Amino acid sequence: MDDDGTRGVRGSSADRVPGPALPPPPTTPPRVPPPAVGPRPAAMPVEQRPTRPGSASPAEQPAPGAPVDAWLRTPRPPQEPGVWRYGYTPPPPEEPEGVSNRSLLVGALISLLSALLLWSLWRNGYLPYRLVPLKLFTPGEWWNPGTSGGPRTIEGSDALTVYEAILFGLLAYGCGRIGNFSELFRRHVADRGQPFLALAAAAAAGLTQLLVWKEALPVVRPVLVLVASVAGGEIYQSQTVVNVIYAVIAAAVLYPFARLGCWRELIAGRRGSGTPAPDGTAAAPAAATSADQWPELRAAGWTDAADTLSAEVRTGRMNDVDVARLRHAWALATRRPDRLAPLAEAVLRTGGAAALHPSGHRDLPRRGARHDVLTGQVRIGRCADDPHNPYVRRGTGLALEPALLGTSLLAVGPPGAGKTARLIRPVVEALALRALAGQAAVLAVGGAGAPLGPDDAFDVVVRLGHPGSAHDIDLYGGTTDPDEAAAVLAEGLVGDVGSLDSRRAATVLAQLLGPYRAAHGHFPSVPELRELLDGTPAALAGLRASLEAAGHHAMLRELDARSRQAGGPGDPAPALADRVALLDRPAFTGFFATGPDARPFSLRALGQHPLRVRVDLPERGHAEASRLLTRLLLAQFTAITAARTDTALFACLVLDDATHAVTAETVRGIRRLRSVNAGAVLALRTVDDVPETLHTPLLGAVGCTAAFSGITTWDGKRFAEAWGKEWVETREVAQHTVFADQPFTRALHALRKLVTGKAVTTDAVTVRQVERERWSASELAYAVPAGHAVIRLATVEGEHAPPLLVHLDG
């Protein structure tokens, strides 16, 4: 690739940005390295959801060292914005709100006690007319006279035995239905799974067998009576027949408990697969299509290349970055048919090392977050099980991707809330992986020592103010147009000064930059620009002499106009000179060079090459200069990306601290980024780090926002207004005291009040629809736990997700 403008070398021995010359491919392709702490599997982990009743076991990632074919075949179904798609399993349908466990247990106990009382009254003859239904269907000579007369003959005794058994069965069924024993069994026994379910069913079966054979439950005698009535009493003369009947009774009593305890499935599972795997270790579901066979290459007729890549995937000589890079390279080659044959030949020759990134790297030195390079997602956390979150999002992973970052992201939280470690670094890491796959370019800007990634994870590392820095920054953004350079430089220098018009400042700079470039062929360095803005006579006289000697009469008129306006009311030149003086310090000697031998790094290269760039700012010793440079880089990025013609490469700027970097012009530039396949990630300690007039425009310009725990109610109010309201159903309960008219009722109410200490009341429930804020300012300030953030996401296509409470584990 063309490396013009990308080799910010500050000396003859300085390292250069990798150019088009590629190193020979290694004999053994590198695998995905483990992170610094603990091993990390080579394949990306599958999303694991909290186990819910009736839900399938979550998919699990392949074992460490396994090839990436299982990772490649894992399904990634389309989902709502921000859902971690890798191995996603939808949750079971939401169950309606049921009774509480306490109410369920009390109801079952009352039902059981009532059934026992009713059965005791029946057995002891306290219920009148209990035998009338039986006497209606049996001969009258079996019974003694009267409605309460008992059996007179053996046939009547046998009929009464069967009658009592039928009534006992109906009573048990009614007790179970009224007491909701099935729900009680499901919650406290079945939901615990095996082997507790089988053991509980076995214990209940043993207790029931004991009660049956002790004749506490009317089962044995009714069965013997029915068998004798059908087969005759002589059948019991054979002990073998009696034993068989007893065995059938025992099996019949045992069968329902075997079904409830799932004994058959448990035994089959033990025999078929040995010891079952623990919960949550099921194999990842495979996609219906075999993605590891490279069907797109086979469909185009390049079967040999597809076979080569399939073998590389199967043997583990390719990692996830190789797969994403080659797929992207093939997609680009299909648009240019003349590139298909060279790419296929490179695949046959080097396998997974074809179409390498210009740096020759095939992966980052280490990873600290979970990535799915195939979709470009990076998992930053899990949606909390909170009423604010929709049911379908509770427990799902939350991920960021270029489709979301293309709308830009604003993260606000106090120091220590985890913005850098849990959000900024995972995003930078994901964009660096996308750059290695040839699909993105990233510029990460932070203070010196900010944990944005190791040096060997970037192609260009600029340490401003550090004498050992191998690269420099072009203050003019790599442009040769004085007006364009003046507009961007003015925005960076005085864009945060509300009393100055940045357009007048740009005019002043253009009146000096244009003549200087015409006279010397390049823009002035920082000391020279400071002298020109200060109006130093020697500097202006020398520039005028050079212009007269070269015959640049138009530029002489520009210089004369600047001389006439100098010192007038509202002249922005002194303010510009003061800001330039922040860069004209001994610590920056040798930086921002502009001569013919200087080749500083230009942000214009980000729109042309998949570069990974990190800029370290000297925030400790030069805080104001760092803010000026941050503002300048943001202005350059928005201007350069908006002007590029080829938008195939996703470009993203990540500011670890955007304090005083946002201006009115950059807010307008951020709005334009989504249309040119670019985005910006801005981190702030508070929204007050942005001028008050820009609070609403900034929140409206970005599509993704994140409010971390610990923000103030003032910041929470701004987020609450930006996120809008929603319709919710509310229930209002009003308690009214009950006044009784009857003496007996009043006595009961007095007794109840004496026992409970509360008057008898009745509840009046009112249900209505009201419009409320999704998250109130107080909730954002006080209800967000540590390590959490409320994140609202939107895509460049217009899809959006509601604000979600997320536990950050990035």
Side-chain angles (χ1 to χ4, degrees), residues 51 61 153 306 314 322 404 425 588 600 624 653 721 766 796-797 804:
T51 304
Q61 63 190 27
T153 62
R314 186 173 57 255
D322 295 330
L404 299 172
R425 174 160 181 171
F588 299 115
E624 285 297 326
L653 169 67
E721 293 175 351
T766 302
V796 292
E797 291 83 8
L804 302 171

Side-chain angles (χ1 to χ4, degrees), residues 197-235:
L197 176 60
L199 294 176
L207 178 62
T208 305
Q209 290 280 6
L210 179 63
L211 296 177
V212 166
W213 296 111
K214 290 292 185 179
E215 297 189 0
L217 301 179
V219 176
V220 178
R221 287 178 60 84
V223 171
L224 295 178
V225 169
L226 290 175
V227 172
S229 64
V230 174
E234 297 80 4
I235 194 174

Side-chain angles (χ1 to χ4, degrees), residues 47 84 378-383 396-399 806-810:
E47 168 62 17
W84 175 251
V378 53
R379 188 182 182 280
I380 63 172
R382 182 187 300 276
C383 296
T396 61
L398 190 82
V806 181
H807 175 248
L808 301 171
D809 54 8

